[in-house]
Amino acid sequence: MSCSASTAKSGGKWEHFAHDADVGVRGCGATAAEAFEQAACALTAVVTHAEVEPLVSVEVECEAPDLELLLVEWLNAIIYEMAVRKMLFGRFAVRIDGTRLAGTLWGEPVVIERHSPACEPKGATYTELKVVKDPDGAWSAGCIVDV
């Protein structure tokens, strides 16, 4: 599967897709880790279209029995850090080792006037959850986010 709606500055791709009152996020990349990074970019774009400066880094770790559940854990870790730190993140690095993920989020505190947050994500869900490697070798990772 290839993503086509939006292209991140890093050259990776992400997109949103409609789902009733919620929103789908999907990232694509050459590796599963890059697809996860792009899905995180799509998550941030649900909240704001403003540029997010990489002023602060936050380390997160997740573990799950498979890649699909690991994507949900990853996105929910970002949502948690957004909520408790009152921050937005605009750059991501992911390392996946089997069932474990170590990630770095770079971002800044929310500035209402500049970021104009559109909504607050409540959580990544299992709905339309899919992490796949296409026959052409490209990875995609996506799910519905409750907003």
Side-chain angles (χ1 to χ4, degrees):
M1 175 190 305
S2 63
C3 297
S4 59
S6 300
T7 302
K9 290 180 180 178
S10 67
K13 296 179 179 177
W14 58 264
E15 68 180 354
H16 294 145
F17 55 95
H19 181 270
D20 297 333
D22 296 318
V23 63
V25 297
R26 183 178 296 123
C28 296
T31 63
E34 187 175 310
F36 277 45
E37 292 168 0
Q38 293 303 310
C41 291
L43 175 64
T44 296
V46 169
V47 180
T48 185
H49 295 291
E51 179 139 355
V52 178
E53 297 292 329
L55 304 177
V56 176
S57 68
V58 175
E59 302 293 324
V60 299
E61 293 184 1
C62 309
E63 186 169 0
D66 61 46
L67 279 176
E68 290 182 334
L69 296 177
L70 194 58
L71 176 65
V72 171
E73 292 296 317
W74 162 240
L75 294 176
N76 281 330
I78 296 167
I79 291 168
Y80 173 80
E81 295 297 337
M82 285 178 173
V84 298
R85 296 176 185 271
K86 300 184 183 345
M87 291 181 64
L88 290 170
F89 301 98
R91 188 172 139 215
F92 306 91
V94 170
R95 295 174 308 281
I96 296 175
D97 182 15
T99 59
R100 294 181 178 200
L101 180 152
T104 305
L105 327 172
W106 287 272
E108 65 178 321
V110 175
V111 178
I112 300 294
E113 298 79 21
R114 188 161 57 82
H115 293 120
S116 301
C119 65
E120 182 175 346
K122 296 175 186 154
T125 73
Y126 300 150
T127 305
E128 298 196 34
L129 174 60
K130 190 179 292 186
V131 176
V132 295
K133 183 178 182 182
D134 291 341
D136 64 359
W139 284 84
S140 68
C143 69
I144 300 298
V145 174
D146 185 15
V147 293

